[in-house]
Amino acid sequence: MSKIQNAFTVLMDIPTPIVAAPMAGASGGALAAQTSTAGAFGFVGAGYLTSSRIQEELSLARAQLLLSDTDPLPIGVGYLAWQLEKEPSSAVGLLNVSLSNRVQAIWLAFGNSIGRWIEHIRSYDAGSDRAQKTLIFVQVSSVKEALIAVQDWKVDVLVAQGSESGGHGYSNAPPLLTLVPSILAVLPKDGPPLLAAGGLSTGGHVASLLALGVSGVVLGTRFLMTKESFYNDVQKNMLVKANGNATVRTMAFDRARGTLDWPEGVDGRALYNKTVKDVDDGVDIETVRENFNRAIQDRDPDQILVWAGTGVGLVTEIQTAQDVVRELHADMMKHLSFVSTLITT
C-alpha cells in the first residue's frame, strides 16, 4: 500500500488517513481491529456498554491483532461524555478499562464537562508506565468548540462533524464544506490534526477533504455496511437499498427508546420510516415506544432504527472492513493522482 504522509498519519503511525468512527451499538472489537489491520484506524464505540462489555470487545480486538495482554492496543475507544457525566462514580471505571488496556486513543463527544475527562486521562497516563500518552480525539461542530478543544484542553486530534453525519450531531452544525475551512482558518500552525466527518462514503470524498486541508477523515455509515459491524442483516440491507434522500434529522428514535439526556441542540440522522412519521404526526409516545420495541423483536424495517449519513446511497454492498479500507485508499489515491495532473507549469 502506498502511503499518505501528513501530521495525522505520522501521529498514528498508519499509512492511510482514514478512521472508522466509534458508533454506539455498531463498532466493536472486530470492526476496530480489522480496520486497523488494513492500515486505517478503528474505534470501539463504548456507547451504553458496561465496563465488562468494553473489556470483552478490547479482548476480542487484542486476540484478532495477535497481541499479548501487555502489548499496547493500536485501536481507540469512543465515549459519549454525557453518559460519563450521568454517573461520574462509574465513569472512571469505564474510562480506566480502556486506559488499562493501553489503547492508543480515546474519543470524547457530546458532553458539558469534557475537560474533566481529559484531565482524568492525562492524570492516569502520568501515573502509569506507558511509553506514549493516550491520544485524545474530541469531536466539534463549531469554531467556538474547536478553539476550546485546542486552547483549553490541548487535544491531540480534532474532529469536525458536519450536518451530513449519520447518528447524533448538533442540529445547527454547518455542512462539512463550510465547517472545515472555518476551523482551519483559526487553527494555530502547531495545532492538532483536523479530521473531517459527515456524509463521507468514497475515496473521492477522502481526497477532496485532504485537498481542502484536513489531515484525515472519519467514516461511519460506510463501516456500518461491513461484516464486522453489530448491525443485523435487516439493518445492513436497509442501508444497501437506501438512496441519498432517505435520511432525516430527528429525535424520534431517542424518544422511542428513552435516550433523552443528550446535550441541548443534539439530534440524530437516520433512515426515515414509520417511527419518525408517527412521532411527527403526534401519535401517543407510549404507543410509539410499544411499536418500536415490537419492531426490534420482529426486525421490522418499517419501524426499527438505522442511523445513516447523507452518503448512504453511494454504497451498495456489504464488505469486510479490510476490503472497505483498501477500496477507499485505492480510490483516494486515484483521485489525488488525477488532481495532480491538473497542475501545469
Side-chain angles (χ1 to χ4, degrees):
M1 176 186 281
S2 51
K3 297 181 179 181
I4 294 291
Q5 184 166 330
N6 63 23
F8 180 65
T9 59
V10 170
L11 177 68
M12 307 305 295
D13 191 24
I14 54 177
T16 193
I18 294 168
V19 174
M23 298 173 286
S27 306
L31 180 52
Q34 294 305 311
T35 299
S36 292
T37 295
F41 192 79
F43 276 89
V44 170
Y48 308 99
L49 298 180
T50 61
S51 296
S52 60
R53 281 289 294 113
I54 295 171
Q55 180 59 60
E56 287 177 18
E57 295 306 322
L58 295 180
S59 295
L60 175 60
R62 192 175 289 281
Q64 293 198 4
L65 293 168
L66 305 177
L67 297 172
S68 75
D69 290 343
T70 57
D71 288 327
L73 194 50
I75 63 168
V77 179
Y79 290 87
L80 300 172
W82 68 264
Q83 276 286 101
L84 301 176
E85 291 157 13
K86 196 173 178 182
E87 293 186 42
S89 57
S90 60
V92 169
L94 292 170
L95 287 168
N96 286 358
V97 172
S98 296
L99 293 168
S100 64
N101 272 275
R102 301 171 73 191
V103 298
Q104 189 172 349
I106 286 182
W107 173 314
L108 297 166
F110 304 120
N112 297 312
S113 304
I114 287 178
R116 172 182 183 177
W117 311 118
I118 292 175
E119 285 181 15
H120 174 76
I121 295 166
R122 297 288 190 232
S123 176
Y124 186 101
D125 281 357
S128 72
D129 60 353
R130 63 180 294 160
Q132 295 179 316
K133 70 175 184 178
T134 307
L135 299 173
I136 296 175
F137 289 50
V138 167
Q139 179 181 308
V140 300
S141 293
S142 70
V143 170
K144 180 180 178 181
E145 290 175 343
L147 288 174
I148 292 171
V150 173
Q151 295 173 353
D152 296 352
W153 301 337
K154 306 291 191 294
V155 301
D156 299 294
V157 179
L158 199 59
V159 182
Q161 186 196 41
S163 60
E164 304 93 334
S165 286
H168 288 89
Y170 283 91
S171 58
N172 64 353
L176 200 55
L177 291 183
T178 300
L179 180 61
V180 164
S182 300
I183 293 176
L184 285 172
V186 300
L187 276 186
K189 288 185 178 179
D190 61 348
L194 178 66
L195 308 187
L200 308 178
S201 296
T202 69
H205 285 154
V206 180
S208 68
L209 269 299
L210 291 176
L212 192 60
V214 302
S215 295
V217 300
V218 180
L219 293 91
T221 306
R222 182 71 191 266
F223 285 100
L224 290 176
M225 289 184 262
T226 59
K227 295 185 179 187
E228 294 86 355
S229 97
F230 288 154
Y231 266 26
N232 62 46
D233 290 343
V234 171
Q235 291 172 306
K236 291 177 184 178
N237 288 332
M238 288 172 66
L239 288 167
V240 167
K241 293 175 182 177
N243 63 41
N245 301 107
T247 70
V248 63
R249 298 201 71 94
T250 180
M251 281 298 286
F253 294 106
D254 287 291
R255 293 187 66 193
R257 57 185 195 169
T259 50
L260 295 170
D261 292 317
W262 294 88
E264 185 178 354
V266 171
D267 60 12
R269 184 180 291 280
L271 297 184
Y272 181 87
N273 63 16
K274 191 173 184 299
T275 297
V276 181
K277 184 178 187 304
D278 284 351
V279 170
D280 289 350
D281 289 349
V283 173
D284 180 74
I285 194 61
E286 291 305 320
T287 301
V288 171
R289 286 174 179 163
E290 289 173 10
N291 292 339
F292 179 72
N293 289 329
R294 189 180 309 116
I296 294 174
Q297 298 299 319
D298 298 342
R299 296 192 175 183
D300 178 3
D302 290 332
Q303 292 187 299
I304 61 172
L305 165 59
V306 181
W307 299 119
T310 56
V312 63
L314 297 174
V315 185
T316 57
E317 64 178 325
I318 308 299
Q319 299 171 282
T320 67
Q322 288 201 41
D323 283 343
V324 168
V325 173
R326 284 190 283 261
E327 182 179 298
L328 287 169
H329 185 81
D331 193 28
M332 170 194 69
M333 296 302 288
K334 181 183 75 173
H335 281 84
L336 290 174
S337 296
F338 168 71
V339 170
S340 70
T341 67
L342 302 178
I343 302 172
T344 60
T345 55

